[in-house]
Amino acid sequence: MNTTDRTDLAAPALASGSEQTHLRAGFIPLVDAAVLIAAAELGFAAREGLTLDLVRDVSWANIRDRLAYRQFDVAHMLSPMPIAALLGLGSNPAPTVAPFVLGRGGNAITVSVRLFETMQALTGLADTASALDCAKALATVIAARRRDGDRPLTLGMTYPYSSHNYELRYWLAAGGIDPDRDVKLAVVPPPMTSDALAAGAIDGFCVGAPWNMIASEKGVGRIVATKQDIWASSPEKVVGMRPDWADRNRDSVLRLITALDASARWCDDPANHGALAALLAQGAYLAAPVEIIRHVLAGKFALDAKGNARVVPDYFVFHRQRANCPSSEQALWVYSQMVRWLWVYSQMVRWGQVTYSAEGAATAASAFRSDLYASALGQAPAADSAPQAADVFIDGRPFDPENLEAYIRGFDAPPPSV
Amino acid sequence: MSHFDLTILVIDENAVRAAIIEDGLREAGHGHVTVVHTVTGIARVIEATGPDVIIIDIENPNRDMMEHLFQLTRSVSRPIAMFVDRSDSASIEAAVEAGVSAYIVDGLKKERVKPILDMAVIRFNAFSRLQRELAEAKSALEDRKVIERAKGILMKMRQLSEEEAYALLRQTAMNEKKKLADIAQSVVTAAGLLM
């Protein structure tokens, strides 16, 4: 097995040529690390002449820092992380680029069973209500709590620069809730979400698989929305690397992309999901029940402990629909959300300001290196880039990367200073 | 103002390691050190102590929570940046390797913080060594125990003296190219099955 403990990291081996073929890859134990794990374990990396040493870590801040300080060559990262890094956001922004998307899907929003029952009691919300109706019902609960003088609800997410943060905010806003004024957002490490929900420390959360399903199977949480409900073709995790490292090891980067492409194709095939679930369930990786991972891969959701279930087609997309190709449009959407929400912080803090600028947008777009992807695997056929059903957003608002500033101004929140 | 006037907050879930760090800081002359073992309510602690430097172990999954807290800074009076100085990569790498990360108040001179981080790195490494030695000592003790038991079994079953029993174990270990403790363990296991 190629997993090593952080304590016995060897110095990176150099190939006989000048390029590095022994790559250390940091990952967080989540289902969406599957493509990296399968590439290391099932020979996809070896076939390209690469050795992938996977190193498990506990926080995104560690992943960021250990990539920046060369303990990792590549890393499993949240898609907004390279964009934030290039824009100079966060506590240790070191240049990072992403030439490969590890897939779509996997996230969901869960609220406590008690909160869901209150939503139902106040609005007559059906067990099968849509994600948008759930958000609107939550808005009704929040208004009632404010009238009664109750404390604001606390919702957990994983990291300031995470798809979870932006998806949770997008969903709340679609329901008429201001994420900065009407609720409290807090970061909770995903493995702790069920316990935090059960203890009443948080009232809901948005995290990746398998943690929503674990909360619902434990009977403490009710899943109210999935990533598919909010923006189906949204990229989830990416493979991040330092741009200078990518330049020096261009051939290895192309081989890595080829290996990950083959691994993603394998992970996407339902015929392999049993084997993939067994691999991911191992102690060195997710250390989670294999049955739950199998359900997650199939998109079979136990919504609650009462037996309400839902099947989400394409809950995980590892390869199909050209899911691995990073596009500048995706990066621009992330940027639009950073601008949309971060102007609030910019009133209060010296650093971390993001207001819209054409240069900022160009910087954000350059984080996703579709050029490297295309060098390894070829350009997308023109038909693939046409808008698809998966490009629909929960609030029906069309995303317009060509007119980004107008798109950002169009949100109900006060317009960003320009 | 010397660097001893800095207010330092140590966040470490491992109480023993935190104590070792705290001792080191006090020995080095730092009077304003606060140690906490949990990040629960950390915003209030930061508000109350106003640290110039925060030291946190990187095994702590709550680091992401700290990042969020620093971004909000509604509860923290001043913006806080990560690490001492990005140009000083050797000392940063040593810190990351040792498992320490540090946050400092933006604008603080790196010369004032470097001794603190260096000390934390040394203490973190010393703690890891201590733990390793402890684990080795424990396993050496376990080995001795199992060898004693195997000797006892051989003496009883084959009517050997203590020296003969030990010599038999050692010879078998040499013949089979195995560790003495492993042979002793097989004797104990076999005896458990047979008796």
Side-chain angles (χ1 to χ4, degrees), chain A residues 19-80:
Chain A
E19 292 211 6
Q20 199 179 320
T21 56
H22 194 128
L23 312 184
R24 290 165 307 175
F27 76 100
I28 298 283
L30 290 166
V31 172
D32 54 32
V35 172
L36 266 176
I37 294 170
E41 285 278 2
L42 303 177
F44 298 111
R47 205 177 298 160
E48 295 301 320
L50 298 175
T51 307
L52 266 186
D53 273 343
L54 295 182
V55 185
R56 190 161 76 162
D57 215 317
V58 296
S59 71
W60 295 112
N62 280 3
I63 290 271
R64 176 199 63 201
D65 294 340
R66 297 180 80 194
L67 184 68
Y69 298 116
R70 297 185 289 276
Q71 284 211 332
F72 297 151
D73 302 308
V74 301
H76 173 223
M77 289 186 135
L78 294 154
S79 54

Side-chain angles (χ1 to χ4, degrees), chain A residues 15 55 61 69 71 73-74 97 116-117 159 167 175 190 203 234 293 361:
Chain A
V55 185
Y69 298 116
Q71 284 211 332
D73 302 308
V74 301
V97 292
F116 189 74
E117 283 167 0
Y159 193 67
E167 281 158 18
D203 303 292
S234 155
I293 297 177

Side-chain angles (χ1 to χ4, degrees), chain B residues 153 157 186-195:
Chain B
I153 290 163
M157 291 181 78
S186 338
V187 171
V188 172
T189 308
L193 291 172
L194 298 173
M195 291 199 305

